[in-house]
Amino acid sequence: MTSQAIDLQKSGSVSDLDPRRWLALVVIGIAQLMVVLDATIVNIALPDAATALHITDANRQWIVTAYALPFGALLLLGGRIGDYVGRKKILMIALGGFALASALGGIAQNFAMLAGARALQGVFAAMLAPSTLSMLTVTFRDPKERAKAFAVFGAIAGGGAAVGLVLGGLLTEYATWRWCLLVNIPISVIAIVGTSIYLHESSTERQGSYDVLGALLATIGLGMLVWGFNQASSHSWSSPNTWGFLVGAVVLLVVFVWWESRNPHAILPLRILKDRNRAGSYLVGLLVGTGLFAVFLFLTFFLQEVKGWSPVKSGVAFLPFSVGVIIGAGVGSQLVLKVGARIVVPVGLVLGVIGLLLLSRLSLTTGYLGTVLPAILLISIGMGFIFMSTTNVALHGVDAGDAGVASAMVNTTQQIGGSLGTALLSTFAVSSTVSYLAGHSTGGAPDKLLMAAAQVHGYTVAFVWAAGFFAAAAIASVLMINASRQDAASAEPGMAAMV
């Protein structure tokens, strides 16, 4: 008997005829909206937060990284805990914890407090995200209704990012950047009340361990890797403060792989990586995440700090990205059925490379319509191609028992890539800014014009590196992904929608 069948037996009152199932979808959607909002709303608020808390250029990337790293590293463990303890119970705990972490961030008095609160948000998000997906699956058993429910869920995931951009701008400009975190509190309260009333408990009878050791090895190893990248901006790559952490990270990650290969209850069963296409989709996700997160970070700084745009105007400037992703996903979903992921994925990545190279031409006089907007559209349409196709490839031919971890790994690799890339590209940007100032300074403190030019130079260097990661992903996709249109047609759409 499959775990899904067991879930359905245990939650017998959750049926297709349950009149409250659509209200349950509203509650699940609110919970998911909060996670999606936090991925974008803080980016718009970051320049104001950095100024208010005196966060250095080298450290402000941690406000993004501190959330993405535990989110990605603990996502698989969070799903496993929900399976065993009960998804409704874990969802309510995660919602409460997320609200508490948001409150701590909203009242943060310094960098350490804000970064710590963001990390705590990431921990609870890793519990929350898989719980919402699991609850959606067991609440809607009828295939047609489930497809509708996942369509609504997907719309929230896509549209929520756009809402976060605009809401972040409005709250930052007309209230304070702190409300970009505090807004999660009322959302969490509504979701907790709704969960207690409209959702039914669901769990699995599978026995096994949580693989806490595996989760700790991965999280600490990745954390040391990010910290090592960060140290290079204030020290040098040859400094023990840099390479010491990098070497330690490699050792821990090697031990993690060794442990996972021998643990029957591994958080990451290495057998799912044996499929060439699946491994290729994860590698593409990792490399894309490495380059993509920097787009939002550095473009936000460019628009607000260099161009002097307001938070609201900056948020609206990013809206075409959400539109482009929707267009790309719609077109890509048709193309993948006609030509296969082996064509669609590289095409999407090439579009991303072109867009990032356009951004590498930014200057103090660059206009939005001539350069930034075309770049955003190219990158976002390419992302629509990639996200849909790699999810499809990751789920093709996977055993039923591994479907959950296989789908979750798509999001995991993107989040981990984002945390690593944000740290690494921020280091490149800061180092390049410092070098530019040193090469163009005439003595004394640099004026505002020189400082702005140096900042833009740092951003363009970061965009070139991001384009390099996308190019590497394109090469990896050509070498590893050979899924045809027949493979795409045979992938289970319901599971693909869950990611």
Side-chain angles (χ1 to χ4, degrees):
M1 181 179 293
T2 66
S3 61
Q4 181 174 320
I6 293 171
D7 291 333
L8 294 172
Q9 283 188 352
K10 293 181 107 180
S11 53
S13 61
V14 181
S15 70
D16 296 331
L17 299 178
D18 185 346
R20 301 192 302 178
R21 65 189 180 281
W22 296 107
L23 290 173
L25 175 60
V26 173
V27 174
I28 293 170
I30 291 172
Q32 174 65 12
L33 178 63
M34 187 173 64
V35 176
V36 177
L37 279 176
D38 233 63
T40 56
I41 195 171
V42 173
N43 273 345
I44 298 298
L46 189 51
D48 280 40
T51 300
L53 300 182
H54 308 291
I55 301 174
T56 65
D57 289 351
N59 283 336
R60 59 187 179 180
Q61 58 88 13
W62 275 102
I63 309 306
V64 176
T65 302
Y67 176 78
L69 181 58
F71 186 9
L74 298 176
L75 189 60
L76 299 179
L77 180 62
R80 184 71 61 85
I81 293 174
D83 288 343
Y84 293 166
V85 176
R87 286 127 187 181
K88 176 179 177 179
K89 184 183 299 180
I90 291 302
L91 179 57
M92 294 183 70
I93 292 173
L95 287 167
F98 201 94
L100 175 61
S102 299
L104 291 174
I107 63 173
Q109 300 300 305
N110 51 51
F111 162 72
M113 188 174 178
L114 180 57
R118 290 285 287 164
L120 196 59
Q121 279 186 316
V123 171
F124 286 109
M127 299 167 62
L128 196 157
S131 295
T132 57
L133 287 169
S134 297
M135 293 302 296
L136 195 63
T137 303
V138 300
T139 300
F140 292 89
R141 292 196 301 173
D142 179 76
K144 292 183 179 179
E145 287 197 346
R146 181 180 293 176
K148 293 179 181 178
F150 276 124
V152 173
F153 188 89
I156 292 172
V163 172
L165 292 168
V166 177
L167 183 60
L170 290 171
L171 291 174
T172 302
E173 187 165 345
Y174 296 112
T176 170
W177 65 267
R178 296 181 182 277
W179 271 105
C180 292
L181 293 159
L182 296 175
V183 71
N184 291 319
I185 298 174
I187 297 176
S188 295
V189 171
I190 294 172
I192 290 172
V193 173
T195 298
S196 66
I197 297 174
Y198 297 114
L199 297 185
H200 299 265
E201 187 56 277
S202 167
S203 61
T204 179
E205 292 181 352
R206 291 176 300 175
Q207 299 298 315
S209 68
Y210 291 125
D211 191 16
V212 174
L213 178 58
L216 288 175
L217 287 170
T219 305
I220 297 173
L222 290 168
M224 292 180 66
L225 194 62
V226 169
W227 185 257
F229 289 155
N230 181 260
Q231 289 298 293
S233 63
S234 55
H235 297 81
S236 66
W237 289 101
S238 60
S239 169
N241 289 306
T242 301
W243 62 258
F245 281 101
L246 297 179
V247 171
V250 171
V251 171
L252 286 180
L253 293 175
V254 168
V255 174
F256 167 74
V257 173
W258 172 84
W259 171 250
E260 296 301 280
S261 68
R262 286 160 175 76
N263 183 3
H265 305 292
I267 190 174
L268 173 58
L270 297 185
R271 60 181 174 273
I272 71 170
L273 302 178
K274 292 181 180 180
D275 180 83
R276 165 180 171 175
N277 284 283
R278 192 173 304 119
S281 71
Y282 296 153
L283 180 57
V284 168
L286 182 72
L287 291 170
V288 166
T290 302
L292 184 60
F293 277 44
V295 173
F296 294 100
L297 184 66
F298 297 125
L299 263 184
T300 298
F301 292 146
F302 173 76
L303 293 176
Q304 292 192 39
E305 297 183 348
V306 177
K307 303 299 288 186
W309 286 21
S310 68
V312 171
K313 189 175 180 180
S314 299
V316 172
F318 279 107
L319 288 182
F321 193 95
S322 297
V323 176
V325 169
I326 294 172
I327 294 173
V331 175
S333 64
Q334 299 303 312
L335 287 177
V336 78
L337 294 175
K338 294 181 179 179
V339 299
R342 61 184 176 185
I343 303 296
V344 176
V345 174
V347 169
L349 288 164
V350 169
L351 290 175
V353 170
I354 296 172
L356 286 165
L357 289 178
L358 273 177
L359 291 179
S360 72
R361 299 174 59 189
L362 292 180
S363 69
L364 294 177
T365 59
T366 297
Y368 177 78
L369 293 178
T371 301
V372 177
L373 179 59
I376 286 177
L377 289 174
L378 283 169
I379 296 170
S380 59
I381 292 173
M383 292 307 95
F385 279 27
I386 296 164
F387 293 153
M388 181 280 307
S389 301
T390 53
T391 298
N392 188 291
V393 169
L395 294 170
H396 174 68
V398 68
D399 293 336
D402 291 330
V405 66
S407 60
M409 272 296 292
V410 177
N411 193 9
T412 296
T413 53
Q414 292 167 4
Q415 292 291 333
I416 290 174
S419 61
L420 296 176
T422 302
L424 185 61
L425 297 184
S426 292
T427 293
F428 291 152
V430 171
S431 300
S432 299
T433 297
V434 172
S435 298
Y436 187 94
L437 287 173
H440 294 78
S441 177
T442 57
D447 58 29
K448 290 185 178 181
L449 187 62
L450 177 58
M451 181 61 72
Q455 285 181 302
V456 173
H457 174 70
Y459 302 154
T460 59
V461 169
F463 288 132
V464 169
W465 276 96
F469 284 119
F470 270 61
I475 295 172
S477 70
V478 170
L479 296 177
M480 300 181 69
I481 297 178
N482 60 5
S484 64
R485 60 181 182 178
Q486 290 82 9
D487 294 328
S490 63
E492 187 175 339
M495 284 303 299
M498 289 178 61
V499 179

